[in-house]
Amino acid sequence: MSERTDPVQTVFVDQTDPLAAPLLEELATEYSTRYGRSRDQMYEDLSTYPAEEFAAPGGALLVVVEDGTPVAGGAFRRYDDTTAELKRIWTSSSHRRRGLGRIVLRELETEIVRAGYSRIFLTTGPRQPEAVALYLAAGYTALFDRSLPPQDIGIHGFEKVLPTAALPSDCAAKEYESV
Protein backbone atom coordinates (compact mmCIF):
# COMPACT_ATOMS: atom_id res chain seq x y z
CA MET A 1 0.00 0.00 0.00
CA SER A 2 1.43 3.37 -0.95
CA GLU A 3 1.48 6.20 1.56
CA ARG A 4 -0.32 9.41 0.62
CA THR A 5 -0.51 12.79 2.25
CA ASP A 6 -3.52 14.19 0.37
CA PRO A 7 -6.49 14.55 2.72
CA VAL A 8 -9.74 12.75 2.02
CA GLN A 9 -13.09 13.64 3.51
CA THR A 10 -15.95 11.37 4.47
CA VAL A 11 -19.51 12.51 3.90
CA PHE A 12 -22.86 10.86 4.45
CA VAL A 13 -25.20 11.29 1.48
CA ASP A 14 -28.53 10.11 0.14
CA GLN A 15 -28.52 7.34 -2.47
CA THR A 16 -29.67 9.87 -5.09
CA ASP A 17 -26.83 12.33 -4.35
CA PRO A 18 -24.47 12.80 -7.34
CA LEU A 19 -21.56 11.78 -5.08
CA ALA A 20 -23.10 8.29 -4.81
CA ALA A 21 -23.36 7.80 -8.58
CA PRO A 22 -19.75 6.65 -9.19
CA LEU A 23 -20.09 4.11 -6.37
CA LEU A 24 -23.16 2.52 -7.97
CA GLU A 25 -21.81 2.74 -11.52
CA GLU A 26 -18.43 1.19 -10.79
CA LEU A 27 -19.93 -1.49 -8.54
CA ALA A 28 -22.26 -2.46 -11.39
CA THR A 29 -19.32 -2.78 -13.76
CA GLU A 30 -17.24 -4.68 -11.21
CA TYR A 31 -20.01 -7.14 -10.34
CA SER A 32 -20.91 -7.74 -13.99
CA THR A 33 -17.26 -8.50 -14.79
CA ARG A 34 -16.93 -10.93 -11.89
CA TYR A 35 -20.35 -12.59 -11.97
CA GLY A 36 -21.41 -12.59 -15.63
CA ARG A 37 -24.61 -10.53 -15.53
CA SER A 38 -24.82 -7.42 -17.67
CA ARG A 39 -23.71 -4.08 -16.28
CA ASP A 40 -27.23 -2.72 -16.79
CA GLN A 41 -28.79 -5.60 -14.81
CA MET A 42 -26.33 -5.06 -11.97
CA TYR A 43 -26.91 -1.28 -11.99
CA GLU A 44 -30.66 -1.79 -11.85
CA ASP A 45 -30.27 -4.13 -8.87
CA LEU A 46 -28.08 -1.59 -7.05
CA SER A 47 -30.07 1.53 -7.88
CA THR A 48 -33.55 0.20 -7.17
CA TYR A 49 -32.99 -0.53 -3.48
CA PRO A 50 -35.30 1.86 -1.65
CA ALA A 51 -33.18 4.89 -0.67
CA GLU A 52 -34.75 4.94 2.80
CA GLU A 53 -33.02 1.64 3.61
CA PHE A 54 -29.72 3.56 3.59
CA ALA A 55 -30.99 6.61 5.46
CA ALA A 56 -30.98 7.55 9.14
CA PRO A 57 -31.94 6.48 11.65
CA GLY A 58 -31.50 2.84 10.62
CA GLY A 59 -28.91 3.21 7.89
CA ALA A 60 -26.45 5.46 6.11
CA LEU A 61 -24.50 5.80 2.88
CA LEU A 62 -20.93 7.10 3.14
CA VAL A 63 -18.72 8.46 0.36
CA VAL A 64 -15.00 9.19 0.67
CA VAL A 65 -14.11 12.24 -1.39
CA GLU A 66 -10.67 13.39 -2.56
CA ASP A 67 -10.34 16.70 -4.40
CA GLY A 68 -14.11 16.68 -5.01
CA THR A 69 -14.07 13.19 -6.53
CA PRO A 70 -15.73 10.15 -4.89
CA VAL A 71 -13.01 7.52 -4.41
CA ALA A 72 -14.59 5.02 -1.99
CA GLY A 73 -17.79 4.39 -0.11
CA GLY A 74 -20.19 2.02 1.51
CA ALA A 75 -23.49 1.77 3.27
CA PHE A 76 -25.39 0.02 6.00
CA ARG A 77 -29.02 -0.73 6.64
CA ARG A 78 -31.06 -2.30 9.41
CA TYR A 79 -30.86 -6.10 9.41
CA ASP A 80 -32.72 -6.59 12.70
CA ASP A 81 -33.15 -4.72 16.00
CA THR A 82 -29.52 -5.21 17.06
CA THR A 83 -27.77 -5.82 13.75
CA ALA A 84 -26.74 -3.56 10.87
CA GLU A 85 -25.94 -5.02 7.45
CA LEU A 86 -23.03 -3.60 5.46
CA LYS A 87 -23.66 -3.13 1.75
CA ARG A 88 -21.91 -1.60 -1.26
CA ILE A 89 -18.39 -1.38 0.14
CA TRP A 90 -16.44 0.08 -2.77
CA THR A 91 -13.09 1.62 -3.66
CA SER A 92 -12.57 3.14 -7.09
CA SER A 93 -10.36 0.88 -9.20
CA SER A 94 -7.89 3.75 -9.67
CA HIS A 95 -7.57 4.36 -5.90
CA ARG A 96 -7.13 0.86 -4.49
CA ARG A 97 -4.38 -0.28 -2.10
CA ARG A 98 -4.40 3.04 -0.22
CA GLY A 99 -6.34 1.99 2.89
CA LEU A 100 -9.58 3.64 1.78
CA GLY A 101 -11.60 0.48 2.45
CA ARG A 102 -10.40 0.55 6.06
CA ILE A 103 -11.50 4.17 6.35
CA VAL A 104 -14.94 3.26 5.01
CA LEU A 105 -15.27 0.40 7.50
CA ARG A 106 -14.10 2.55 10.44
CA GLU A 107 -16.52 5.35 9.65
CA LEU A 108 -19.45 3.01 9.04
CA GLU A 109 -18.73 1.03 12.21
CA THR A 110 -18.68 4.27 14.23
CA GLU A 111 -22.01 5.35 12.73
CA ILE A 112 -23.47 1.88 13.30
CA VAL A 113 -22.61 2.07 17.01
CA ARG A 114 -24.12 5.57 17.16
CA ALA A 115 -27.30 4.19 15.59
CA GLY A 116 -27.56 1.73 18.49
CA TYR A 117 -26.58 -1.52 16.81
CA SER A 118 -24.34 -4.02 18.60
CA ARG A 119 -23.55 -6.35 15.68
CA ILE A 120 -22.70 -6.10 11.99
CA PHE A 121 -23.54 -8.71 9.38
CA LEU A 122 -22.46 -8.72 5.74
CA THR A 123 -22.07 -10.98 2.75
CA THR A 124 -19.72 -10.90 -0.18
CA GLY A 125 -19.36 -13.09 -3.22
CA PRO A 126 -16.93 -15.92 -3.93
CA ARG A 127 -15.13 -13.89 -6.60
CA GLN A 128 -14.17 -11.03 -4.29
CA PRO A 129 -11.03 -12.18 -2.45
CA GLU A 130 -10.02 -8.56 -1.77
CA ALA A 131 -13.24 -8.03 0.17
CA VAL A 132 -12.74 -11.24 2.14
CA ALA A 133 -9.20 -10.13 3.06
CA LEU A 134 -10.43 -6.66 4.10
CA TYR A 135 -13.12 -8.02 6.41
CA LEU A 136 -10.82 -10.59 8.01
CA ALA A 137 -8.13 -7.94 8.58
CA ALA A 138 -10.75 -5.64 10.15
CA GLY A 139 -11.72 -8.23 12.75
CA TYR A 140 -14.82 -9.72 11.15
CA THR A 141 -15.58 -13.37 11.84
CA ALA A 142 -16.12 -15.60 8.82
CA LEU A 143 -19.44 -17.47 8.99
CA PHE A 144 -18.21 -20.11 6.55
CA ASP A 145 -15.58 -22.82 6.39
CA ARG A 146 -12.46 -20.98 5.22
CA SER A 147 -10.77 -24.25 4.28
CA LEU A 148 -13.19 -24.75 1.37
CA PRO A 149 -12.66 -23.27 -2.11
CA PRO A 150 -14.57 -19.96 -2.47
CA GLN A 151 -16.77 -21.31 -5.30
CA ASP A 152 -17.85 -24.23 -3.09
CA ILE A 153 -18.89 -21.80 -0.34
CA GLY A 154 -20.92 -19.45 -2.51
CA ILE A 155 -21.98 -16.37 -0.59
CA HIS A 156 -19.47 -15.54 2.15
CA GLY A 157 -21.08 -14.30 5.37
CA PHE A 158 -19.29 -12.31 8.07
CA GLU A 159 -20.18 -10.81 11.41
CA LYS A 160 -18.63 -8.49 13.94
CA VAL A 161 -19.79 -7.84 17.49
CA LEU A 162 -19.33 -4.18 18.36
CA PRO A 163 -18.37 -2.55 21.64
CA THR A 164 -21.33 -1.16 23.52
CA ALA A 165 -19.42 1.53 25.44
CA ALA A 166 -20.39 5.12 24.74
CA LEU A 167 -18.40 6.80 21.99
CA PRO A 168 -16.45 9.97 22.69
CA SER A 169 -17.83 12.94 20.73
CA ASP A 170 -14.65 13.24 18.64
CA CYS A 171 -14.41 9.53 17.85
CA ALA A 172 -15.01 9.76 14.11
CA ALA A 173 -12.55 11.96 12.29
CA LYS A 174 -13.97 13.24 9.03
CA GLU A 175 -10.61 13.93 7.40
CA TYR A 176 -7.69 11.54 7.04
CA GLU A 177 -4.22 12.82 6.22
CA SER A 178 -2.17 9.75 5.35
CA VAL A 179 -4.09 7.20 3.36
Side-chain angles (χ1 to χ4, degrees):
M1 179 171 43
S2 62
E3 197 67 23
R4 301 258 324 194
T5 58
D6 301 333
V8 296
Q9 293 78 40
T10 59
V11 293
F12 287 93
V13 300
D14 181 83
Q15 177 172 285
T16 60
D17 189 294
L19 286 174
L23 180 153
L24 298 176
E25 291 166 8
E26 192 168 339
L27 275 177
T29 300
E30 184 91 17
Y31 291 165
S32 69
T33 301
R34 292 185 189 222
Y35 296 105
R37 293 179 60 202
S38 79
R39 185 220 168 273
D40 290 342
Q41 289 172 315
M42 297 306 292
Y43 185 80
E44 173 137 353
D45 286 350
L46 290 166
S47 63
T48 57
Y49 268 90
E52 62 269 10
E53 287 190 27
F54 302 112
L61 192 148
L62 170 86
V63 177
V64 178
V65 179
E66 180 178 57
D67 297 326
T69 301
V71 294
F76 73 89
R77 65 181 181 173
R78 181 183 185 277
Y79 185 78
D80 64 32
D81 288 345
T82 60
T83 306
E85 180 183 20
L86 286 181
K87 301 291 286 180
R88 303 176 176 180
I89 306 301
W90 161 78
T91 300
S92 169
S93 59
S94 60
H95 293 275
R96 292 185 179 157
R97 309 236 10 107
R98 294 180 45 204
L100 297 171
R102 290 192 314 258
I103 291 171
V104 170
L105 286 180
R106 246 189 334 258
E107 288 290 325
L108 288 175
E109 287 174 2
T110 297
E111 195 65 21
I112 287 167
V113 170
R114 283 192 179 128
Y117 296 109
S118 59
R119 179 178 170 262
I120 298 173
F121 171 75
L122 69 95
T123 60
T124 193
R127 295 181 181 164
Q128 295 172 260
E130 309 89 343
V132 170
L134 173 66
Y135 301 132
L136 291 172
Y140 285 76
T141 301
L143 301 176
F144 56 91
D145 184 346
R146 292 179 54 204
S147 69
L148 295 174
Q151 293 299 78
D152 290 354
I153 296 166
I155 299 299
H156 291 53
F158 291 87
E159 73 174 347
K160 187 174 191 178
V161 176
L162 299 168
T164 56
L167 292 171
S169 61
D170 64 347
C171 179
K174 295 298 177 195
E175 185 168 299
Y176 293 85
E177 288 295 330
S178 295
V179 295

